[in-house]
Amino acid sequence: MEPEILGKSPLFRGFSGEELRSLLKELGGSVRTYGRQSFLLRAGERTEQFALLLEGEVTIIQEDFWGNRNIVAQIMPGEVFAESYACVPGSVLRVSACAQTDCRVMWLDMRHLLDAASRGDTPRRLLRNLTAILAAKNLMMNEKITHLSQRTIREKLLSFLSAESGRCGSAEFDIAFSRQQMADYLSVDRSALSAELGRMRDEGILAFHRNHFHLLRAGDREIHQA
C-alpha cells in the first residue's frame, strides 16, 4: 500500500489507515508499473477498471483520424482516470492514456466497488468520493469548452491563463503544460501560440519564463517595463 499518496488523494479523503487497508483488500486493487511514453489505455479499447496514479505523470489524449492530437487532461499523483468509462460497462474508449514519465498505477475494478457499496458503509463513502471527483471533472471540462470557444489564439490564452490565475489565487503561477502540451490543450498550432505569447509579453500583458507566468495589469506593466 502507498499510505502517503493514498491519504492525500481525493478518492480516499476521510479514510483512516485501517479503513484503507481493509477497503483495498476487499476491492482487490492491483499496482502496475509503466515506462515513459507507454500506453496504459488506448482509444477503441474497453475497461471496467479505473486507475489511481501513484507516481509519475499521465496524459489523457484524443486523436482524430489523421493523427491530430488534443490533450484532454494531465493526470498527477493522487488523481484518478478512466472512471467515467468504467462506470458504463462496454463503452468504447474515445481517449488514450499515455505515460509521460515512468509511472506506477493502482487499478480498481468498478464492479467490485459497486458490489461492495451495496453491502457496507466504507465502500459507499468511497463511491461518494468518486462521485465528487466526476462532478469536479465535469466542471473542468466545461471550463475547457469555454477556452476553446474563444475565437482567436490570444482569447484562448487569456481565458486559459485567467482560469489558472484564479485557481492559484495569484497573478503569478506555474502551469503543468509544456508549450506543445498547451498548444494541444487549446487546439492551436504551437508556433502560432508561441508567437502570440511573445506579442503579449511585448505589449506588457504578461511576463513568463518557461512554465512560470505573471499576468500584468496596467499599473503592473509600468513597473515591469521600467
Side-chain angles (χ1 to χ4, degrees), residues 123-182:
R124 279 197 292 271
R125 288 163 52 204
L126 181 64
L127 199 56
R128 284 196 293 271
N129 284 352
L130 186 59
T131 301
I133 290 171
L134 283 164
K137 287 191 175 183
N138 183 58
L139 293 175
M140 291 180 64
M141 188 57 64
N142 287 338
E143 183 178 281
K144 181 177 181 179
I145 291 171
T146 298
H147 305 331
L148 296 182
S149 67
Q150 306 304 310
R151 294 186 177 183
T152 67
I153 294 176
R154 175 170 294 204
E155 289 171 342
K156 293 177 192 289
L157 281 167
L158 289 172
S159 178
F160 169 68
L161 294 172
S162 292
E164 291 297 305
S165 173
R167 187 173 293 111
C168 296
S170 172
E172 287 195 62
F173 53 89
D174 295 322
I175 64 172
F177 293 147
S178 67
R179 290 292 182 272
Q180 184 61 61
Q181 290 170 334
M182 190 193 302

Side-chain angles (χ1 to χ4, degrees), residues 48-72:
E48 293 185 351
Q49 294 182 316
F50 64 101
L52 170 66
L53 183 61
L54 300 175
E55 294 178 10
E57 184 178 333
V58 171
T59 300
I60 308 301
I61 59 175
Q62 189 173 48
E63 294 181 306
D64 64 17
F65 180 83
W66 296 273
N68 298 310
R69 176 174 291 192
N70 173 39
I71 291 182
V72 177

Side-chain angles (χ1 to χ4, degrees), residues 13-106:
R13 181 174 291 129
F15 288 86
S16 67
E18 182 58 37
E19 286 175 325
L20 274 175
R21 284 187 286 273
S22 175
L23 186 59
L24 292 177
K25 182 178 180 180
E26 183 175 11
L27 298 180
S30 61
V31 177
R32 301 176 204 168
T33 301
Y34 299 86
R36 182 177 179 273
Q37 297 302 317
S38 61
F39 281 87
L40 290 69
L41 293 167
R42 287 183 180 273
E45 297 176 343
R46 293 175 171 83
T47 183
E48 293 185 351
Q49 294 182 316
F50 64 101
L52 170 66
L53 183 61
L54 300 175
E55 294 178 10
E57 184 178 333
V58 171
T59 300
I60 308 301
I61 59 175
Q62 189 173 48
E63 294 181 306
D64 64 17
F65 180 83
W66 296 273
N68 298 310
R69 176 174 291 192
N70 173 39
I71 291 182
V72 177
Q74 204 83 355
I75 307 299
M76 305 303 288
E79 297 179 343
V80 300
F81 59 95
E83 70 282 1
S84 296
Y85 290 98
C87 284
V88 186
S91 59
V92 176
L93 291 168
R94 299 293 303 277
V95 297
S96 299
C98 180
Q100 294 302 299
T101 64
D102 293 343
C103 63
R104 297 176 66 242
V105 173
M106 175 181 288

